[in-house]
Amino acid sequence: MQTQNWRKQPQAPTPRQLPEVLVAREVDRTALSRAVKRQLMRRVRPGIYRFSGNDEMRAERFKQHELVVLERISAVRKFLRDDDCFSHVSAATLWGLPIPPGYSNPHIASPPTSVNHTAPIGVIRHRVEVPPEHRTMLGDVAATSLERTTVDCLRLLPPELGIAIADSALRVGMDRDLALEINQTIPNRRFRKQAHALLAFADIGAESPRESQLRFHLSVAGWQELETQTYVYADGADYYLDVTASGYQVGFEFDGLGKYTADALRQEKLRDHKLRAAGWHIERFISRDLTPPDLLQSRLRQIARDRNIPLGTSELQRVLQHSPLTARPIA
């Protein structure tokens, strides 16, 4: 049995393309009403419509939320001024980063000195100064840079959601040092320490938002020196474990929906058998195991006690202990 830590290399980001939308006042109302009744078009927001079509994204249930967000961004873009840009979770969506459920309203950054302008209904406008070096063009859409977007999200979202964005940003080439610098230079100090701790904790090896959340809760529960995608050679096969604790042969695996086929289950059973024969203890988790957080952390601490593994207090835990963004109290 051999083990080593395998590190991923960042991949080029794949910015999302916005779906085309129509403004009701710019088209014939009778024809538009007829198209809606025939289900050829559907309303995205008041006064904004798009063709229904046979969207491939709609066929994939897990991408439906992303499509809704992109439609709303596309609708709002028509009302942007030259000094506006999409920011926070909207910019994260455009960068192809994972979007937390419940955050579908468009976010816009506008200079605080700009002429007062009321945002369209459902749009969240942030009166902040975004320097030119923190802005970019994703196609023909103005948005905050990858690093600024990540920092903004870490200051806005509950930490267990923000870490998924930070991990994903690293996978598509975020410069961690630049993000840390941006975090320090933003005049508003609110949640600066939280964003710094999450940026330091971010790991390129997490392959899904759920894996990121599992690693986050392991750290909060007191597990130390966590590693992602640890390579294990066992009984003639190569394996990569989602999360491990350095120095202990304990692996934590998150199983997505794709692993629930009969063949996949057989392969996982064989995999677990080989890993256990090589001395590894494997703990598996599915989506419903990640909530509520207090029960999940109790389970993680019990695993450590059962195996006589000492727990500690991580820097992340110290910083987040009194954070108002934490969804629930951290034990």
Side-chain angles (χ1 to χ4, degrees):
M1 184 271 295
Q2 300 173 346
T3 67
Q4 67 184 50
N5 185 250
W6 175 82
R7 310 309 299 158
K8 277 193 168 186
Q9 295 300 315
Q11 305 296 316
T14 307
R16 300 297 189 255
Q17 292 189 351
L18 294 180
E20 289 295 327
V21 297
L22 296 176
V23 180
R25 65 170 180 262
E26 298 176 353
V27 297
D28 181 78
R29 290 298 185 95
T30 302
L32 177 61
S33 177
R34 188 182 304 118
V36 171
K37 288 180 179 179
R38 295 174 62 187
Q39 298 184 344
L40 298 176
M41 300 196 73
R42 56 189 177 79
R43 194 177 78 160
V44 175
R45 55 178 292 118
I48 305 294
Y49 295 79
R50 75 161 298 205
F51 288 99
S52 298
N54 294 316
D55 234 313
E56 292 182 2
M57 292 181 69
R58 280 199 177 277
E60 300 182 57
R61 186 175 179 183
F62 71 94
K63 286 191 175 181
Q64 286 184 9
H65 179 57
E66 181 182 90
L67 179 59
V68 170
V69 175
L70 289 172
E71 288 174 343
R72 293 183 179 183
I73 291 174
S74 184
V76 169
R77 183 175 60 151
K78 294 180 175 291
F79 302 98
L80 289 190
R81 297 166 299 169
D82 291 341
D83 53 359
D84 291 337
C85 68
F86 287 105
S87 65
H88 297 76
V89 291
S90 294
T93 306
L94 293 169
W95 279 104
L97 306 180
I99 315 152
Y103 291 87
S104 57
N105 286 342
H107 288 248
I108 297 172
S110 298
T113 56
S114 62
V115 177
N116 187 35
H117 179 73
T118 302
I121 296 174
V123 174
I124 300 173
R125 187 182 293 279
H126 301 268
R127 291 289 183 178
V128 294
E129 192 68 49
V130 180
E133 61 270 23
H134 295 179
R135 294 169 56 109
T136 190
M137 296 297 295
L138 297 176
D140 59 349
V141 182
T144 49
S145 66
L146 181 59
E147 291 77 14
R148 176 61 187 255
T149 298
T150 304
V151 170
D152 285 340
C153 287
L154 293 181
R155 287 172 171 233
L156 172 74
L157 301 173
E160 63 268 32
L161 302 181
I163 191 59
I165 287 181
D167 287 350
S168 181
L170 281 178
R171 291 199 301 273
V172 296
M174 180 188 74
D175 185 328
R176 191 199 308 262
D177 291 336
L178 179 56
L180 288 167
E181 179 183 332
I182 289 173
N183 184 49
Q184 289 299 119
T185 57
I186 293 177
N188 189 346
R189 296 166 60 97
R190 187 168 172 80
F191 303 122
R192 179 180 291 173
K193 289 183 178 180
Q194 170 173 303
H196 182 94
L198 290 168
L199 284 169
F201 183 69
D203 194 305
I204 195 174
E207 294 188 329
S208 73
R210 295 299 196 184
E211 286 183 26
S212 298
Q213 291 172 22
L214 176 58
R215 192 178 88 261
F216 168 85
H217 286 294
L218 279 163
S219 180
V220 169
W223 286 78
Q224 306 292 299
E225 299 184 36
L226 299 172
E227 297 177 351
T228 60
Q229 299 303 315
T230 301
Y231 169 75
V232 178
Y233 179 81
D235 194 18
D238 299 317
Y239 299 114
Y240 295 94
L241 304 183
D242 291 344
V243 185
T244 61
S246 180
Y248 302 98
Q249 288 186 286
V250 180
F252 300 89
E253 296 275 274
F254 177 79
D255 296 331
L257 292 176
K259 293 188 178 180
Y260 291 136
T261 65
D263 183 62
L265 289 172
R266 283 193 295 269
Q267 292 297 322
E268 288 301 318
K269 185 175 181 179
L270 176 62
R271 182 178 188 266
D272 283 0
H273 176 75
K274 290 185 177 182
L275 288 169
R276 289 191 172 101
W280 281 85
H281 175 78
I282 305 298
E283 290 283 344
R284 294 194 169 276
F285 298 81
I286 58 177
S287 292
R288 66 169 176 260
D289 294 328
L290 303 186
T291 54
D294 52 348
L295 292 182
L296 170 60
Q297 290 164 23
S298 295
R299 174 182 171 184
L300 296 174
R301 287 191 290 269
Q302 186 61 50
I303 293 169
R305 286 192 293 267
D306 291 344
R307 304 193 66 79
N308 296 317
I309 297 175
L311 299 178
T313 301
S314 66
E315 178 62 24
L316 187 64
Q317 186 178 6
R318 283 190 288 269
V319 170
L320 298 180
Q321 194 160 12
H322 304 292
S323 171
L325 281 181
T326 303
R328 291 177 175 83
I330 294 179

